[in-house]
């Protein structure tokens, strides 16, 4: 038995590279085909995933972002107090929330909620031979399985980020009012002074990219899961780990690009 | 199609997973209108062979012709075309859990036909009635028993009236009566619709009732131990292993015939 060779086959990076390429291509084709024929989108699936990623994630996003805003506000106030410049707590907070922490926290929540759910769902479908059935029915998993999730996430993530940003700014505002004794009007005025719509939009773009990466990572791990219960468990775990890695990497890249174009 | 031309033609086929060979140098063909059995002990590669025949995996070597087209060398688009022409009933049904039975069965009709909603609904009910599941249109797969799932999977495989049907373990996990009903249904499909059916099974009872011809796979040689009609193989095969494999049930039947 060439079991040694078999093990190498499993960790073959070239094979994995082509699998990822294949999967991404198939998903993108499915997505484009859905955009071209929106009538063929399984709307019940879409709304299910949108509900899962959007409204159902909102409470936890609001809570986390509120607390994040408070933590950032507090840290900023402590540092700025050293220079007697607490007034700028809004600048520091707004800047970091809209550009980084807002989308990032939404990404983390979505990874835990949607990414792992996608991987578990597709992994289970693989175990039940549903994926094989889909293939032999001649139906593309990209269009049938990935596209509804991708669309739902691409809609839900920006919306969550808008609400999350507001929650974080509100949390920071609470700190500014209590800890720094900054009047709310001053806080708001500073916020509007430093932030412009582009900063805000670029944060949204980040969330959109995170949403795409989380969906693709979750679906890929599910499709490539080992066909047993433990395999599905591992797929859900890897989906989360890989999503977080991708989020941080893409964030670093986008921050570079955005700063290059002047934001 | 020429009646003599085989529907499935397997030449020098070697298959397996990753770097491990499971079966090698297989040669056989399936004629139109035949009920063809793939037999063998547990773990000898029956399911593996079926997964390769339906194009889910690429063979290491050799070719698989289905409807005269080489599925193992087809590109994705061609493969999809070939796949639409045959049905596959999976062991556990493989129904899509988020869709009702009617949606499961109707999916390929929506994808590949111009039928309107009403026509699809009628065709779906017809197929569900065929497998004795009339009235279960709006059930979710999770609400069904194992045998019902398997039958619903069969209904889905038959939705497009395929000329060729693959069936993995039709009777595994079913009670004898349901299993006998399913055997009858398989025979009826062949007799009335002329469907060619490939079954993977180790249920000796079904093998003797439904199959016209079988191949028996041997785990040790990783090849075909015998090809032919089971009744003939039972009495005439020179290989004692083959006769032994078939004999327990064969004896019982011979006695019943007396
Ligand atoms: N996905 C897979 N990856 C690697 N090896 C596999 C895979 N599926 C099956 N095998 C191996 O292939 C061999 C044949 O398995 P297969 O499922 O084809 O047997 P089978 O004849 O269908 O058995 P059974 O009657 O128990 O269903 C086994 O040794 C099994 O370990
Ligand atoms: Mg099997």
């Amino acid at each position: 038995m060439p079991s040694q060779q078999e093990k190498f086959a499993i960790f073959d990076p070239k094979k994995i590279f082509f699998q990822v390429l294949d999967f991404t291509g198939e998903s993108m084709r499915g997505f484009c085909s859905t955009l071209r024929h929106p009538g063929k989108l399984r709307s019940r699936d879409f709304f299910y995933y949108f509900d899962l990623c959007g409204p159902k994630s909102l409470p936890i996003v609001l809570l986390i972002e509120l607390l994040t805003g408070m933590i950032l506000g507090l840290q900023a106030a402590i540092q700025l107090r050293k220079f007697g410049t607490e007034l700028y707590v809004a600048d520091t907070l707004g800047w970091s929330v809209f550009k980084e922490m807002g989308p990032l926290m939404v990404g983390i929540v979505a990874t835990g909620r949607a990414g792992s759910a996608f991987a578990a769902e597709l992994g289970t479908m693989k175990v039940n031979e549903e994926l094989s059935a889909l293939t032999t029915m001649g139906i593309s998993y990209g269009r049938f399985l990935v596209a509804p999730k991708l669309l739902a996430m691409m809609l839900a993530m920006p919306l969550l980020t808008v609400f999350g940003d507001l929650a974080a700014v509100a949390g920071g505002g609470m700190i500014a009012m209590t800890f720094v004794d900054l009047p709310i009007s001053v806080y708001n005025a500073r916020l509007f002074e430093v932030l412009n719509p582009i900063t805000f939009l670029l944060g949204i773009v980040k969330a959109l990219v995170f949403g795409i990466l989380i969906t693709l990572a979750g679906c890929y791990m599910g499709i490539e899961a080992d066909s047993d219960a433990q395999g599905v468990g591992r797929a859900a775990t890897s989906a989360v780990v890989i999503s977080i890695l991708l989020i941080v990497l893409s964030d670093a890249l986008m921050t570079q690009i955005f700063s290059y174009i002047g934001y | 199609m020429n009646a003599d031309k085989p529907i499935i033609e397997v030449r020098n086929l070697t298959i397996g997973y990753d770097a491990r060979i499971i079966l090698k140098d297989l040669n056989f063909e399936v004629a139109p209108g035949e009920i063809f059995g793939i037999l063998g002990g547990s773990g000898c590669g029956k399911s593996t062979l079926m997964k390769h025949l339906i194009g889910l995996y690429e063979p290491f070597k050799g070719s698989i012709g289905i409807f005269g087209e080489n599925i193992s060398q087809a590109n994705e688009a061609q493969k999809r075309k070939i796949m639409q022409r045959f049905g596959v009933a999976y062991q556990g049904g493989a129904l899509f859990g988020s869709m009702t039975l009617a949606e499961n069965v109707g999916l390929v009709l929506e994808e590949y036909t111009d039928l309107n909603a009403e026509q699809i609904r009628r065709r779906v009910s017809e197929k569900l009635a065929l497998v004795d599941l009339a009235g279960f249109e709006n059930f979710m797969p999770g609400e069904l028993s194992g045998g019902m799932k398997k039958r619903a999977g069969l209904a889905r495989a038959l939705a497009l009236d395929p000329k060729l049907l693959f069936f993995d373990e039709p009777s595994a996990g079913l009670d004898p009566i349901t299993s006998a009903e399913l055997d009858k249904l398989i025979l009826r499909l062949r007799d009335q619709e002329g469907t060619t059916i490939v079954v993977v099974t180790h249920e000796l009872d079904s093998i003797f009732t439904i199959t016209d011809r079988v191949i028996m796979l041997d785990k040790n040689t990783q090849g075909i131990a015998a090809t032919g009609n089971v009744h003939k193989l039972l009495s005439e095969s020179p290989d004692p292993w083959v006769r032994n494999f078939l004999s327990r049930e064969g004896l019982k039947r011979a006695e019943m015939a007396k």
Side-chain angles (χ1 to χ4, degrees):
Chain A
M1 279 299 122
S3 61
Q4 202 62 26
Q5 231 167 321
E6 200 180 332
K7 285 221 173 68
F8 278 126
I10 291 167
F11 295 111
D12 185 353
K14 205 169 104 198
K15 187 173 152 197
I16 291 178
F17 175 76
F18 282 112
Q19 273 176 356
V20 170
L21 213 62
D22 219 37
F23 167 81
T24 314
E26 184 67 40
S27 300
M28 285 305 142
R29 266 199 302 281
F31 182 71
C32 294
S33 138
T34 303
L35 290 187
R36 257 181 285 122
H37 313 282
K40 275 203 158 184
L41 175 69
R42 298 173 39 73
S43 53
R44 191 149 47 90
D45 281 0
F46 170 77
F47 285 117
Y48 169 80
Y49 294 119
F50 180 72
D51 186 46
L52 178 80
C53 312
K56 288 229 166 68
S57 301
L58 189 58
I60 184 77
V61 163
L62 290 181
L63 181 66
I64 287 183
E65 295 271 10
L66 185 80
L67 292 172
T68 305
M70 290 170 82
I71 294 167
L72 288 176
L74 202 56
Q75 295 284 18
I78 291 169
Q79 293 303 315
L80 293 170
R81 175 166 289 172
K82 289 183 190 161
F83 311 103
T85 50
E86 296 107 303
L87 179 65
Y88 297 117
V89 66
D91 303 43
T92 315
L93 181 103
W95 200 246
S96 50
V97 162
F98 282 83
K99 291 181 66 138
E100 289 295 343
M101 294 314 276
L104 207 53
M105 288 297 150
V106 168
I108 302 288
V109 171
T111 299
R113 286 187 58 93
S116 57
F118 294 164
E121 182 187 318
L122 267 64
T124 309
M125 289 184 77
K126 184 171 187 186
V127 173
N128 290 339
E129 294 189 297
E130 289 171 55
L131 293 186
S132 302
L134 199 63
T135 308
T136 51
M137 288 160 101
I139 299 175
S140 138
Y141 65 77
R143 176 167 61 80
F144 194 74
L145 298 174
V146 182
K149 298 178 178 64
L150 205 50
L151 268 177
M153 283 285 273
M154 288 172 75
L155 195 63
M157 291 289 285
L159 288 175
L160 281 181
T161 306
V162 172
F163 288 110
D165 284 353
L166 292 178
V169 166
M174 285 179 203
I175 293 296
M177 280 190 295
T178 53
F179 190 77
V180 188
D181 275 337
L182 203 64
I184 190 71
S185 55
V186 178
Y187 180 78
N188 284 341
R190 293 295 322 159
L191 267 185
F192 280 112
E193 182 142 333
V194 291
L195 295 173
N196 61 35
I198 306 272
T199 332
F200 176 72
L201 276 180
L202 289 180
I204 303 284
V205 168
K206 277 189 176 179
L208 190 72
V209 172
F210 295 164
I212 295 172
L213 292 173
I214 293 167
T215 312
L216 291 182
C219 291
Y220 175 77
M221 292 322 291
I223 283 175
E224 294 298 333
D226 291 330
S227 298
D228 53 51
Q230 291 179 338
V232 176
R234 281 196 302 275
T237 309
S238 333
V240 171
V241 174
I242 289 176
S243 293
I244 290 182
L245 187 69
L246 288 174
I247 285 177
V248 174
L249 283 176
S250 65
D251 191 17
L253 190 69
M254 283 188 283
T255 304
Q256 282 291 321
I257 295 173
F258 295 165
S259 76
Y260 188 73
I261 59 169
Y263 290 92
Chain B
M1 191 182 288
N2 187 341
D4 302 322
K5 218 171 151 211
I7 278 210
I8 301 178
E9 204 172 354
V10 170
R11 290 285 163 257
N12 305 322
L13 186 68
T14 298
I15 55 177
Y17 300 98
D18 292 324
R20 181 169 152 221
I21 291 175
I22 305 286
L23 291 165
K24 59 186 183 202
D25 284 326
L26 307 182
N27 282 288
F28 62 89
E29 55 240 15
V30 178
E34 201 171 34
I35 299 184
F36 188 83
I38 299 175
L39 319 185
S42 186
C44 68
K46 301 185 292 295
S47 301
T48 304
L49 176 56
M50 189 178 116
K51 285 178 197 159
H52 281 79
L53 290 182
I54 61 183
L56 287 177
Y57 291 91
E58 308 248 325
F60 292 153
K61 235 177 57 198
S63 68
I64 302 167
I66 295 198
F67 301 118
E69 309 203 41
N70 191 342
I71 194 167
S72 38
Q73 268 167 20
N75 63 31
E76 285 301 313
Q78 292 167 323
K79 233 184 212 177
R80 259 176 214 167
K81 274 260 148 49
I82 303 173
M83 283 171 169
Q84 286 163 29
R85 294 176 59 192
F86 60 73
V88 185
Y90 290 85
Q91 186 162 350
L95 301 168
F96 301 121
S98 62
M99 299 160 68
T100 65
L101 281 203
E103 288 169 332
N104 263 287
V105 178
L107 182 62
V108 281
L109 297 174
E110 270 172 36
E111 290 283 331
Y112 302 124
T113 67
D114 299 324
L115 301 179
N116 62 34
E118 173 59 24
Q119 289 166 316
I120 289 181
R121 202 190 56 76
R122 224 175 312 134
R123 177 88 81 97
V124 165
S125 297
E126 201 179 286
K127 295 297 172 198
L128 283 175
L130 188 69
V131 297
D132 211 14
L133 282 174
F136 285 91
E137 279 82 354
N138 294 321
F139 277 60
M140 300 302 281
E143 301 169 325
L144 301 180
S145 76
M148 289 159 93
K149 278 186 204 156
K150 193 180 289 228
R151 282 183 280 145
L154 176 60
R156 186 178 64 184
L158 295 174
L160 288 172
D161 294 320
K163 283 273 144 239
L164 173 61
L165 174 73
F166 292 90
F167 205 153
D168 195 3
E169 306 276 5
S171 37
L174 296 186
D175 64 274
I177 294 174
T178 318
S179 150
E181 289 289 323
L182 214 50
D183 285 350
K184 263 190 236 158
L185 177 60
I186 290 173
L187 282 170
R188 203 164 69 222
L189 273 174
R190 194 271 307 270
D191 294 341
Q192 290 176 3
E193 317 284 338
T195 315
T196 309
I197 302 169
V198 176
V199 287
V200 169
T201 181
H202 42 213
E203 198 75 24
L204 282 168
D205 215 0
S206 312
I207 295 171
F208 278 97
T209 323
I210 61 175
T211 61
D212 299 310
R213 241 156 39 87
V214 300
I215 51 171
M216 290 183 62
L217 301 175
D218 186 346
K219 196 173 180 171
N220 298 322
T221 63
Q222 299 187 318
I224 298 175
T227 316
N229 178 281
V230 271
H231 298 277
K232 277 223 181 85
L233 286 177
L234 175 63
S235 51
E236 294 167 14
S237 171
D239 188 341
W241 180 81
V242 171
R243 286 194 313 260
N244 196 31
F245 187 93
L246 296 169
S247 64
R248 277 222 323 265
E249 192 58 25
L251 279 178
K252 215 161 72 192
R253 291 191 152 256
E255 269 165 27
M256 266 158 64
K258 273 185 217 162

